[in-house]
Amino acid sequence: MILKANILDAVEPSPTLAITAKAKAMKDAGKDVVGFGAGEPDFDTPEHIKEAAKKAMDKGLTKYTPVSGIVSLRDAIIQKFERDNNLKFDRKNIIVGTGGKQVIYNFFMATLNPGDEVIVPGPYWVSYCDIVSLAGGKPVVIDSTPKSNFQITAKQLEEKITNKTKVLILNSPSNPTGTVYTKTVMEEMIEVVLKHNMMIMTDDIYEKIIYDGVRFYNPAMLSAEVRERTFIVNGVSKSYSMTGWRIGYGAGHPTIIENMDTVQGQSTSNASSISQAAAEEAIKGDQSFIQTMVTAFDDRRKKAVKFLNEIQGISCNMPQGAFYVFPYINEAYELPGFQKLLKESGETSKSKFFCAHLLEKYLVAAVPGIAFGDDNAIRISYAISQPQIDKGLERIRQMIKDLS
Ligand SMILES: Cc1ncc(COP(=O)(O)O)c(C=O)c1O
């Protein structure tokens, strides 16, 4: 009996979902766990968006829709690109899917051939490498460090290119580091992309969650030539606190959209009709929610970075976007208490052991950096209340003190 396809050997279950689930199970069992694992805003979906969903149900919009999404939502997405990014698209350029994650999956299913290489700048969002592998491709990671503010350079990119390289992934603002690529750095990378006849997939899901007046930039805004080669992924999950509604969208070359429509049409078909109506209202309606949420995140971000940098053995860059901090804890790994426990545990990943110990003994759930390709760090989501953040960070400080 075959219980597992070979291709799954290259794929891991999502570590962020696993940690969130474990923290929840501990909480349900009555433990006072602080959950820094969540990849979703702690705000309720705005009322006017929920109202739009209720109206859609009352109007009977509860049936199949076109695979690529209802026309009015696709038109709203077209308007969004024009309003926010000065990019002009037609309906044939747009596809709506069940979350940004599915759009990314369908993009790679529709474009990769076996062995095609995809460049993934690290630290990277947990799912990129696994999705590329599932689609038969080969992820090629380029590492970066806090020194370069977690950004790769055009030179690093060029060094990794082979005759199999097909796509460069860009995620700005980034999960997990919060780094935001500037126009200048993007231009340098695009030069390489054009020279080597590659495509770019930009994951703009954190476009709206950006601080310090930093400007979001998508390479497609550079020129028509670059736009032809760019596939943009975005969605409503993070910007409008709609993670459970599962609506993401993609914009790109009509042939890619057509092929993605085929993949989607033979798998999930349309995204939920009710969620599509809600997403349309989110994109077209009152946008003031975003500012309220970003202002709250901004305050938490600054406090968290300050707190972490005051802990000996931890150093933390100030992220410019998203709602995560990615503190480097490699100095803490040298603490005698840590070394001793690590040796006893037999665990090879230091960040995994750090997080396991933190959860078990100090009831704080954070995601090990290794899940994002960097064992020197952990990821902390500050999309939880300030008192919870304070409590969790205080426990981390205590753990480090106890290990010293
Ligand atoms: C970088 C990045 N891209 C895409 C997604 C997928 O979001 P969704 O499928 O909810 O639209 C996430 C969610 O965590 C993310 O962090």
Side-chain angles (χ1 to χ4, degrees), residues 52-344:
K54 289 176 200 164
K55 267 196 203 138
M57 280 189 274
D58 291 344
K59 277 202 289 190
L61 300 177
T62 54
K63 301 285 168 46
Y64 291 133
T65 77
V67 171
S68 290
I70 52 175
V71 163
S72 53
L73 172 57
R74 278 189 285 155
D75 285 349
I77 292 166
I78 290 167
Q79 282 163 27
K80 176 256 172 253
F81 278 117
E82 189 151 14
R83 175 188 77 201
D84 298 348
N85 314 110
N86 199 21
L87 287 170
K88 286 197 171 52
F89 287 114
D90 292 324
R91 285 180 194 155
K92 63 183 188 302
N93 296 111
I94 306 291
I95 188 163
V96 174
T98 303
K101 194 182 255 182
Q102 195 207 18
V103 174
I104 295 170
Y105 181 78
N106 289 352
F107 167 71
F108 284 120
M109 288 298 285
T111 55
L112 291 186
N113 289 316
D116 280 345
E117 293 178 8
V118 175
I119 307 252
V120 184
Y124 46 76
W125 178 50
V126 290
S127 296
Y128 295 138
C129 294
D130 299 279
I131 290 176
V132 167
S133 299
L134 262 180
K138 183 178 160 211
V140 176
V141 173
I142 300 180
D143 291 320
S144 69
T145 66
K147 256 196 191 155
S148 65
N149 195 19
F150 296 112
Q151 300 199 357
I152 65 160
T153 61
K155 185 168 172 283
Q156 280 178 299
L157 172 61
E158 185 130 38
E159 279 164 8
K160 287 282 185 185
I161 291 173
T162 72
N163 57 3
K164 293 230 164 101
T165 309
K166 197 153 180 186
V167 185
L168 163 69
I169 296 181
L170 274 184
N171 173 216
S172 171
S174 144
N175 173 7
T177 67
T179 202
V180 179
Y181 278 89
T182 60
K183 184 174 177 223
T184 318
V185 178
M186 273 195 190
E187 278 171 351
E188 289 163 7
M189 291 214 275
I190 295 311
E191 236 179 78
V192 179
V193 165
L194 294 176
K195 183 171 148 197
H196 294 277
N197 197 22
M198 290 163 59
M199 285 212 39
I200 321 146
M201 188 207 84
T202 70
D203 179 349
D204 299 355
I205 202 102
Y206 294 101
E207 169 184 8
K208 301 284 181 194
I209 304 174
I210 200 159
Y211 312 105
D212 300 331
V214 172
R215 262 203 72 209
F216 169 82
Y217 195 78
N218 185 293
M221 291 151 78
L222 267 175
S223 68
E225 189 188 11
V226 181
R227 207 194 82 157
E228 276 277 298
R229 290 174 179 280
T230 308
F231 181 76
I232 304 175
V233 179
N234 209 325
V236 295
S237 283
K238 318 285 178 177
S239 307
Y240 304 97
S241 202
M242 292 177 69
T243 46
W245 298 75
R246 309 307 303 128
I247 296 290
Y249 54 89
H253 195 288
T255 308
I256 292 179
I257 300 295
E258 228 180 275
N259 292 328
M260 286 177 67
D261 186 282
T262 304
V263 172
Q264 192 161 303
Q266 295 295 16
S267 50
T268 56
S269 298
N270 62 275
S272 151
S273 59
I274 300 155
S275 296
Q276 287 189 62
E280 183 183 331
E281 172 60 22
I283 293 168
K284 279 204 309 215
D286 180 9
Q287 302 290 302
S288 59
F289 166 79
I290 298 173
Q291 195 49 51
T292 309
M293 178 175 68
V294 171
T295 303
F297 282 160
D298 187 15
D299 193 44
R300 298 180 201 169
R301 168 187 74 121
K302 288 179 184 144
K303 286 183 182 145
V305 170
K306 183 169 180 291
F307 194 110
L308 285 162
N309 280 322
E310 282 166 7
I311 303 176
Q312 219 182 357
I314 296 188
S315 76
C316 187
N317 276 22
M318 183 66 84
Q320 294 96 47
F323 42 74
Y324 313 100
V325 283
F326 199 62
Y328 254 44
I329 54 167
N330 49 327
E331 279 182 34
Y333 294 157
E334 302 305 321
L335 296 171
F338 185 82
Q339 295 269 325
K340 182 172 170 286
L341 290 173
L342 178 72
K343 208 167 165 198
E344 284 167 12

Side-chain angles (χ1 to χ4, degrees), residues 3-59:
L3 295 175
K4 187 182 175 194
N6 292 344
I7 200 159
L8 283 175
D9 288 342
V11 179
E12 298 245 342
S14 165
T16 41
L17 294 183
I19 280 167
T20 311
K22 187 164 179 195
K24 187 174 180 302
M26 287 171 76
K27 259 189 209 163
D28 290 348
K31 296 204 169 152
D32 174 28
V33 174
V34 175
F36 280 142
E40 58 187 350
D42 56 320
F43 292 78
D44 195 9
T45 302
E47 210 48 49
H48 66 104
I49 297 175
K50 291 200 268 187
E51 276 307 317
K54 289 176 200 164
K55 267 196 203 138
M57 280 189 274
D58 291 344
K59 277 202 289 190

